[in-house]
Amino acid sequence: MTAPEGRGIAGRTGTFRILHVSTGNVCRSPITERLTRHALVDRLGDPLSGGLIVESAGTWGHEGAPMEANAEVVLADFGADATGFVGRELLDEHVIRADLVLTATRDHRAQVISMGHSAGLRTFTLKEFTRLVRAIDPATLPDPRDEGVVERARALVRAAAALRGWLLAPTAEADEVYDPYGAPITFFRSIGDEINQALDPVVTALTGVAAPH
């Protein structure tokens, strides 16, 4: 039996796989996945050349479904590509392969961790990870030009996990991204802005490259 691709707990060294998780995998996690890819392209040109792979799935994922039309509109607002997206149910293999799991809410985080696979140290809510990343001195991370983006990303996850018990959220709600499913486009856009703002410092920390201005 061949080990799954990616590192996670499976063992490949050349890639770093980021998994975004929400409920249906038709609103929040597709937006987060595609905004992450868009930001990585802005910084690296081709994220795959740096070894970064970005995916998403849902704890009650609408398997095979397209993303919500309003989610596509939000991505278009940011110039991000929505084409070819297909919803997925979160499976054990997705968690096993992931080096970093970023969830929309604390409930999603708890569900991922409950699946096992040593997921606890690499699973965070998106906003929790952003808060932890902001507290990490970039100078303590490997230089991506010398050691590569994958090694830097792994070190970032280890550093964030070590900080988690020391840097708590100001409120329980601070780590949540609320579900816009069925809401008007104005709410989708506010959630898109929220996700985009949370992702910016994360992608900068992962790659060592600030957003172009």
Side-chain angles (χ1 to χ4, degrees):
M1 182 175 161
T2 306
E5 271 187 62
R7 187 165 177 261
I9 59 170
R12 247 185 78 179
T13 57
T15 58
F16 183 91
R17 196 176 287 261
I18 303 167
L19 175 66
H20 293 294
V21 174
S22 63
T23 304
N25 195 214
V26 291
C27 299
R28 287 168 292 181
S29 50
I31 291 171
T32 316
E33 174 197 313
R34 294 307 175 95
L35 286 181
T36 303
R37 290 187 187 181
H38 183 65
L40 287 171
V41 168
D42 273 354
R43 289 161 168 80
L44 299 177
D46 178 5
L48 289 176
S49 67
L52 300 181
I53 299 168
V54 186
E55 306 177 301
S56 64
T59 54
W60 290 89
H62 299 194
E63 188 73 34
M67 73 174 77
E68 284 288 293
N70 280 348
E72 292 193 9
V73 172
V74 167
L75 290 173
D77 289 345
F78 288 100
D81 186 9
T83 57
F85 180 84
V86 178
R88 303 192 304 175
E89 176 79 29
L90 180 67
L91 302 176
D92 288 282
E93 66 190 67
H94 301 144
V95 177
I96 289 168
R97 290 191 309 206
D99 296 277
L100 172 62
V101 184
L102 296 176
T103 70
T105 69
R106 292 166 296 152
D107 281 348
H108 297 132
R109 181 185 65 196
Q111 286 178 265
V112 172
I113 292 170
S114 74
M115 294 170 74
H117 314 304
S118 306
L121 291 176
R122 50 198 168 89
T123 303
F124 309 79
T125 75
L126 170 62
K127 288 185 171 181
E128 173 192 23
F129 195 67
T130 301
R131 186 177 70 253
L132 297 171
V133 159
R134 287 183 186 278
I136 295 166
D137 181 355
T140 64
L141 300 171
D143 187 327
R145 294 166 297 184
D146 298 330
E147 298 184 54
V149 173
V150 168
E151 284 308 312
R152 181 184 178 92
R154 289 181 188 154
L156 182 69
V157 172
R158 289 194 298 270
L163 271 179
R164 178 150 46 188
W166 299 94
L167 195 65
L168 303 178
T171 65
E173 291 70 34
D175 284 344
E176 306 280 288
V177 175
Y178 291 107
D179 191 356
Y181 187 76
I185 187 61
T186 49
F187 188 63
F188 265 85
R189 284 189 162 123
S190 71
I191 292 297
D193 286 339
E194 210 173 296
I195 290 169
N196 192 59
Q197 287 174 30
L199 279 173
D200 181 64
V202 169
V203 176
T204 298
L206 283 167
T207 61
V209 181
H213 292 292

